[in-house]
């Protein structure tokens, strides 16, 4: 009888502790931030917009060993999303990705990138792109890249909350654990591309903006401050000028040798065309590495250069100013 009373007392104390924790823990809150939006080219159909981060604090972390509740994340642009489609197996898989807690970044350099679907983070059977993650009790180490703790999730276009909408991509079943009092949980959305040409340039001094709206639903809904963020400004990327243009008469041959494959040396310049960037950094390389070690190369001397291949661009938040964006090769 005394033993039974002891069990009841322990159970009551446990319930009281959970209730007390719920009452004292700050409410879960996320703040969206797009940083400094990049300037992108008005001529572009697949322009890379800026990253958006959700900085989340508070809430009650999942108990140790219990399954972290899942959320569905969708982002919408005010133009079509044109991120590359990497696979059409079991869904339309986009290059757009979601990272949790800034793995392999300058602030967490020793945390490896681990994608949901990797051998060390298997997907749920019959539910591609969804992984089960368990809590640690205090929100620490939930996404540390060890076995069963993925921190990279790939988006799909035309599924889930996106509903087939051309201006949205979504992540279904993302396990989100509230950080509690352990600090800030960071969700980063990157590799989202936009059709800037669809919006065009502004006729005023204020550039056309591309905006992103973030929606989170599911069993663990996230209250977001400022869910709509400006992620890019559109400006003309290529400026061309024609000099010395003459007057030409219809049906009168001019530099005929050029068109007929004749005497090219006899051809003369009719006009001069110059082309330049409409803004700084409008012209970009594909990847930050080049296979010309004697040229303008950001890698240190002595580096082994690939034969025309890309190098990793896998530091969250880094500005590579390239066409290929975030890559983990």
């Amino acid at each position: 009888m005394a033993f039974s009373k002891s069990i009841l007392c322990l159970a009551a104390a446990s319930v009281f502790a959970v209730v007390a924790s719920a009452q004292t823990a700050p409410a879960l809150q996320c703040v969206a931030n797009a940083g400094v939006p990049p300037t992108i080219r008005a001529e572009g159909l697949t322009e890379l917009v800026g990253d958006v981060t959700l900085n989340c604090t508070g809430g009650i972390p999942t108990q140790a060993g219990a399954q972290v509740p899942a959320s569905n994340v969708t982002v919408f642009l005010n133009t079509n999303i044109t991120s590359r489609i990497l696979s059409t197996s079991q869904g339309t898989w986009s290059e757009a990705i979601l990272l949790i807690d800034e793995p392999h970044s300058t602030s967490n350099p020793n945390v490896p990138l681990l994608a949901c679907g990797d051998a060390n983070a298997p997907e749920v059977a019959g539910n591609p792109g969804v992984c089960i993650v368990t809590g640690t009790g205090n929100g620490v180490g939930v996404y540390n890249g060890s076995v069963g703790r993925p921190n990279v999730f790939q988006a799909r276009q035309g599924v889930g909350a996106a509903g087939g909408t051309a201006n949205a991509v979504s992540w279904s079943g993302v396990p989100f654990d509230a950080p509690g009092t352990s600090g800030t949980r960071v969700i980063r959305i990157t590799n989202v591309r936009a059709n800037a040409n669809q919006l065009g340039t502004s006729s005023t001094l204020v550039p056309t903006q591309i905006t992103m709206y973030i929606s989170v639903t599911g069993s663990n809904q996230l209250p977001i401050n400022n869910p709509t963020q400006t992620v890019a400004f559109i400006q003309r990327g290529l400026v061309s000028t024609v000099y010395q243009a003459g007057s030409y008469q219809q049906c009168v041959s001019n530099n005929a040798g050029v068109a007929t494959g004749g005497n090219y040396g006899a051809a003369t310049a009719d006009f001069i065309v110059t082309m330049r960037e409409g803004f700084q950094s409008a012209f970009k390389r594909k990847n930050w590495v080049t296979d010309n070690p004697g040229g303008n190369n950001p890698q240190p001397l002595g580096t082994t250069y690939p034969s025309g291949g890309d190098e990793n661009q896998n530091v969250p938040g880094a500005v590579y100013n390239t066409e290929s964006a975030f890559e983990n090769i």
Side-chain angles (χ1 to χ4, degrees):
M1 188 67 177
F3 179 75
S4 299
K5 290 181 178 179
S6 298
I7 294 295
L8 291 174
C9 290
L10 289 173
S14 177
V15 171
F16 177 78
V18 171
V19 173
S21 175
Q23 291 176 343
T24 59
L28 177 63
Q29 186 67 58
C30 299
V31 178
N33 185 8
V36 179
T39 301
I40 61 176
R41 299 160 294 201
E43 302 86 351
L45 304 179
T46 57
E47 293 295 287
L48 188 70
V49 304
D51 291 2
V52 171
T53 58
L54 298 179
N55 298 282
C56 303
T57 57
I60 302 175
T62 305
Q63 294 181 2
Q67 182 176 335
V68 173
S71 298
N72 302 316
V73 181
T74 306
V75 297
F76 300 86
L77 297 186
N78 60 334
T79 185
N80 286 351
I81 291 181
T82 52
S83 298
R84 288 175 293 178
I85 301 301
L86 303 181
S87 173
T88 55
S89 175
Q90 296 182 303
T92 306
W93 296 97
S94 168
E95 67 172 322
I97 57 175
L98 181 151
L99 302 98
I100 302 181
D101 282 357
E102 302 288 72
H104 193 60
S105 65
T106 54
S107 58
N108 295 308
N110 297 321
V111 176
L113 295 161
L114 179 62
C116 176
D118 185 90
N120 289 326
E123 298 168 324
V124 176
N127 204 352
V130 177
C131 291
I132 292 177
V133 175
T134 57
T136 59
N138 58 6
V140 178
V142 179
Y143 307 97
N144 61 15
S146 61
V147 176
R149 300 200 173 279
N151 44 36
V152 181
F153 300 86
Q154 187 176 0
R156 284 187 284 182
Q157 190 155 359
V159 297
T165 307
N167 69 327
V169 291
S170 62
W171 293 262
S172 299
V174 177
F176 178 81
D177 191 25
T181 57
S182 65
T184 301
R185 177 126 295 138
V186 180
I187 299 175
R188 178 179 294 273
I189 296 170
T190 189
N191 277 13
V192 176
R193 298 179 187 270
N195 185 345
N197 188 256
Q198 186 177 348
L199 295 178
T201 56
S202 171
S203 58
T204 69
L205 295 177
V206 180
T208 302
Q209 299 179 10
I210 292 182
T211 58
M212 177 186 291
Y213 172 74
I214 306 170
S215 171
V216 181
T217 61
S219 57
N220 198 1
Q221 298 187 20
L222 308 184
I224 303 174
N225 283 342
N226 304 318
T228 300
Q229 294 286 312
T230 298
V231 292
F233 295 106
I234 301 175
Q235 289 189 14
R236 187 179 176 187
L238 179 65
V239 177
S240 60
T241 307
V242 179
Y243 298 96
Q244 301 177 3
S247 298
Y248 305 100
Q249 297 181 1
Q250 187 176 3
C251 299
V252 176
S253 298
N254 187 70
N255 279 340
V258 175
T260 61
N263 185 2
Y264 294 109
T268 59
D270 286 322
F271 51 85
I272 299 173
V273 178
T274 62
M275 296 185 181
R276 60 181 175 83
E277 291 180 304
F279 57 88
Q280 189 176 7
S281 78
F283 297 166
K284 297 180 175 65
R285 291 183 293 183
K286 180 178 183 290
N287 184 266
W288 73 286
V289 71
T290 175
D291 56 2
N292 176 20
N296 180 19
N297 198 296
Q299 293 199 39
L301 294 176
T303 301
T304 300
Y305 295 86
S307 179
D310 289 355
E311 283 287 288
N312 282 328
Q313 296 182 159
N314 58 3
V315 177
V319 179
Y320 292 101
N321 194 32
T322 63
E323 299 287 2
S324 51
F326 190 96
E327 288 187 290
N328 189 47
I329 302 170

